[in-house]
Amino acid sequence: MPTSSRNIAPQGDGARLADALADYLAGEHALLELRYCAPKRLSALIHDLSRPLPSPLERALARGLNSGELADWLGPAETLMPPMMSRFGLDPEAWAAAPQAAEWRVTCRACPQVGTCWQALRHGADAEACRAFCLNAEAFTAAGRESGH
């Protein structure tokens, strides 16, 4: 029996939209299950910036962090600021007690780009890429200049 064009998988924009929707739903479903069935595992996944994650879940986590929906799951100043400082050539331990560090932590905790930052750090973004969203980028750069780095 001949197949009609209606039986062939959709092509072009329709297929991409269907794939994007399936990807979005898969990530949201995984996130929902982790939040309610394995919250400790979710916390560990969010705090481990080097653990590979399925792309749909990673994107769902980044969206949740950016929207504030997962704000209680991540302390950005504690988890994200040290590796971000390293991207800008600062030693997080050496700067931990510096007066500026308290201001940097406040800025980091109030950042609307937490999910973007989290995802960028997971993927090894360099300082130049991080300048596009990091509210502390200029302060980190200035601190590096002051300390001679």
Side-chain angles (χ1 to χ4, degrees), residues 47-64:
H47 288 87
D48 185 346
L49 299 177
S50 63
R51 171 171 277 174
L53 293 174
S55 295
L57 177 58
E58 182 177 306
R59 285 189 290 273
L61 286 167
R63 282 190 304 270

Side-chain angles (χ1 to χ4, degrees), residues 8-50:
I8 298 173
Q11 299 294 318
D13 291 340
R16 282 190 290 278
L17 181 59
D19 289 345
L21 180 59
D23 182 73
Y24 174 84
L25 292 173
E28 293 299 317
H29 178 79
L31 177 56
L32 184 65
E33 281 196 27
L34 285 166
R35 282 182 80 174
Y36 294 103
C37 299
K40 287 182 183 179
R41 176 107 168 112
L42 175 60
S43 180
L45 290 174
I46 290 173
H47 288 87
D48 185 346
L49 299 177
S50 63

Side-chain angles (χ1 to χ4, degrees), residues 7 13 31 49 67 74 81 88 104 109 122 131 139 146:
N7 294 336
D13 291 340
L31 177 56
L49 299 177
S67 72
L74 176 72
M81 196 171 92
F88 285 88
W104 299 342
R109 288 181 184 127
R122 289 181 49 74
R131 284 183 198 288
E146 289 173 16

Side-chain angles (χ1 to χ4, degrees), residues 56-94:
L57 177 58
E58 182 177 306
R59 285 189 290 273
L61 286 167
R63 282 190 304 270
L65 289 166
N66 274 342
S67 72
E69 177 186 341
L70 298 175
D72 293 340
W73 292 84
L74 176 72
E78 295 72 30
T79 302
L80 303 177
M81 196 171 92
M84 183 61 75
M85 291 172 72
S86 296
R87 296 296 194 284
F88 285 88
L90 300 178
D91 177 357
E93 291 182 25

